[in-house]
Amino acid sequence: MDLVVGRVAKTHGVRGELVVDVRTDEPGERFAVGRVLRGRKSTGKNTFVENNYTVSAARNHSGRLLLTVAEVNDRDTATEMRGTLFLIDSAEVSSGDDPDEFYDHELQGAVVRTVSGVEVGVLADVVHMPGGDLLSVKTADGRDILIPFVTEIVPTVGRDVIEIDPPDGLLDPE
């Protein structure tokens, strides 16, 4: 599974520097000089092109990451990269041994059940919304249920089992 660690927002200057929206807790490691990044750019409806880019330089500028890659040396080429996602394989990251820390992909496939033991379904994804995070749960009958990922409703989170205490009506199909 791929994880996004950055997205090219725009260009900076005339030498092909890229302004990158960072989506990782470890930008120093992910965008280190010499690191080869896998970039994916959408070319239309469900089609993508992937290329590798070698980091030549990375620096912070006004709270944003400015990235120089060996394969881009002018503004026009950099402009074509706008929207490119930099990806890593989820196998490259681990949240360690702390049971209270995890990445979204580590929870996918966990059984979701109520605190009383009734199985609700399997976690399909963690959806990050501006108002808060949601758990997307796939039920045995094929329904998708969105559950607010807050302590009051999701008191126990584990990589294998997630327990929920849903308010009345949250799990009802109507």
Side-chain angles (χ1 to χ4, degrees):
M1 172 189 298
D2 291 329
L3 299 176
V4 177
V5 295
R7 184 185 70 79
V8 177
K10 61 182 183 175
T11 63
H12 179 82
V14 295
R15 293 193 179 113
E17 271 188 305
L18 306 169
V19 176
V20 176
D21 291 330
V22 176
R23 297 184 183 171
T24 178
D25 290 342
E26 300 170 347
E29 177 184 337
R30 303 283 176 232
F31 299 101
V33 173
R35 175 94 187 223
V36 176
L37 302 171
R38 186 165 44 102
R40 179 183 295 157
K41 170 103 173 159
S42 174
T43 57
K45 190 174 187 179
N46 294 325
T47 59
F48 302 93
V49 62
E50 284 195 14
N51 291 302
N52 289 330
Y53 301 95
T54 305
V55 176
S56 301
R59 64 187 175 102
N60 189 5
H61 177 72
S62 299
R64 297 187 90 175
L65 176 68
L66 295 184
L67 189 68
T68 304
V69 293
E71 297 77 8
V72 177
N73 55 17
D74 62 69
R75 185 176 184 88
D76 292 336
T77 307
T79 300
E80 291 173 15
M81 288 193 61
R82 188 174 186 170
T84 297
L85 300 176
F86 292 122
L87 309 167
I88 62 170
D89 190 315
S90 62
E92 291 184 41
V93 298
S94 171
S95 58
D97 296 331
D98 189 339
D100 293 329
E101 291 185 12
F102 43 80
Y103 288 102
D104 296 351
H105 71 275
E106 294 175 316
L107 298 178
Q108 291 173 344
V111 173
V112 178
R113 66 178 179 216
T114 65
V115 291
S116 60
V118 176
E119 190 168 318
V120 176
V122 175
L123 182 70
D125 200 3
V126 178
V127 182
H128 301 282
M129 302 295 291
D133 299 334
L134 301 168
L135 299 179
S136 176
V137 178
K138 182 68 110 180
T139 64
D141 62 2
R143 292 183 298 130
D144 291 312
I145 299 174
L146 294 176
I147 299 170
F149 198 178
V150 295
T151 305
E152 295 79 15
I153 298 175
V154 187
T156 307
V157 178
R159 290 180 178 91
D160 298 320
V161 176
I162 298 171
E163 288 188 340
I164 63 171
D165 188 9
D168 291 338
L170 182 65
L171 303 179
D172 294 337
E174 288 97 45

